[in-house]
Amino acid sequence: MEFKIFETQNENWNDTLVKHRLADPHYSREYALLFEKVTSNPEFNQNFVGKHYLIVYTNKDGILVYPTIKREITILGHKINDLTSPYGYGGPLIRGDNKPNIYKEFRIEFDTWCQNNDIIAEFSRLHPLSRNHEFIESIEPGKITNISTVYYLETGKSWEELYSNFKKRVRTYYKKRDLSVKKVPITTENAKIFEDLYSQTMKRISAENKYHFTEEFFVRTFTLLKEKLLMILAEDQETGEKLSALLVLQFGEFAYYWLSATADSARNRKYSPTYPSLAEAIKILLGSESSFFLLGGGYKKDDSLAQFKRGFSNDPIPFYIYSKIHNLKNYENLIREIELNFSIDMDKINYFPKYRYPELIQKY
C-alpha cells in the first residue's frame, strides 16, 4: 500500500495519470495550476482558488487518483479548512479489478489525512463517465446525491452516424449557417477575443459574480492549457464580426465542452452560431485520442441549455455530487453560531457546506 500527496510543484503529476490511463483535463497539473492563481475577482477566488493536491493511492488491487482543493475561510473568527473538487468534475478515478476495496482502503488513509489537516468538510462533483458513484455508494451509503442529468457523445463513431442522431433544429442550423466556423490557434489574442464574448454573455444572462472570469484568467488558461485546449470561433462571413466561440478541454480519453460565449449582436441573427460551432468541435474530435465528449447539462432540469445539449446527444447519464462532514462537532457548532449571529434558520439551507451558502458569504 502507498498513499502519496502530489502538490502542483510535482512534475510527476501528469506522468502518473498517463501511465495508468487515468488522464483527464480536470485532473491535470496545468488545470490545478490555473486555479491556484488568485485573480482580481474576489468571489472567483473565494469559490475556486485554493491549494491543489492530487492524491495517489495504490494497493495490491490497483491505483486510485483523486484531485482536491483545500480552501480556507474565516467565519466569526474561526479559520475553517474544507475540500472541494476542481471546477467541473472530480472524484476518485480507479484503475483496478476491485474498485470498492481500493476505495475503502483509500478512504481510511485519506480520512486520517483530513483529520490531521483540520478539514471540516469535503465536497466533490463526481466524474459522470467514470461511474465512480457506484463504488462510493457501496462503501459510503448516503454520501452521494443525484442532482441532474448530463449528455455525452462517443467520438469513436462516424460523423454520419452522429449527425443522423442530431435533432432536426441542430441539422437545420448546421446546414443553413451563414458563418465562417473554424478552429483557431490557442494564442493570447484569441484568449482576449474569447474573454470579450464571454463577458458579454455573463452580463446578458446576469450570471453570479463568481463566474465572471477575468481577462487575466483566460490569458493564463491559454498559456497553461495550450496543449489541452480547442477553440472554435464563429464569424460573420461578410464582415468578419466575432459572433460566438467555445472552448473544449481535452486530455486522455475524455474531452469536455468547457465554456462558450456569444456576442450580444448574435441574438439578432436568424440562425444561432452556437449550433454549428459545437458541431464543428465534434467533427474535429472524431479520430482524436478522446473516446468521449461530455457536453454537460443545464443549470436547472430541462432548461434551455439542457435542451440545446440534448439536441446533439441521445446519451444521457446521471450526475452525482459527494458530500462528507469530517468533524461533525465543529461543523454543527459553527452552524449554530452562524444561526445565532445572523438570525438565519440554517435548517432551511439546502447547500453544502451550509456555511458557504452564497448569501451568507457576503455577511462574513
Side-chain angles (χ1 to χ4, degrees), residues 2 12 28 36 53 57 120-121 124 128 142 150 181 190 209 214 220 228 230 234 244 278 317 321 327 338 352:
E2 192 171 29
N12 291 324
S28 71
E36 275 196 339
Y53 301 99
Y57 176 80
I120 193 171
S124 188
V150 294
V181 181
N190 284 329
N209 286 339
T214 62
R220 186 169 167 80
K228 298 177 175 64
L230 166 67
S244 75
L278 182 52
I317 190 169
I321 57 173
N327 191 322
I338 292 171
F352 188 87

Side-chain angles (χ1 to χ4, degrees), residues 94 184 219 314 332 363:
I94 295 178
V184 296
V219 170
N314 290 322
E332 290 183 339
K363 299 177 184 290

Side-chain angles (χ1 to χ4, degrees), residues 173-191:
Y173 279 32
Y174 184 75
K175 289 187 292 186
K176 294 183 178 295
R177 57 182 175 172
D178 53 349
L179 307 164
S180 168
V181 181
K182 60 187 177 182
K183 173 185 175 181
V184 296
I186 304 303
T187 62
T188 298
E189 179 184 358
N190 284 329

Side-chain angles (χ1 to χ4, degrees), residues 38-49 71 207-214 356 358-359 361-362:
V38 172
T39 73
S40 57
N41 180 346
E43 293 188 35
F44 172 92
N45 300 335
Q46 186 73 62
N47 284 276
F48 303 125
V49 176
R71 300 179 300 178
E208 294 179 55
N209 286 339
K210 65 182 179 181
Y211 295 118
H212 287 251
F213 300 168
T214 62
R356 283 191 179 269
E359 292 183 16
I361 292 287
Q362 300 170 11

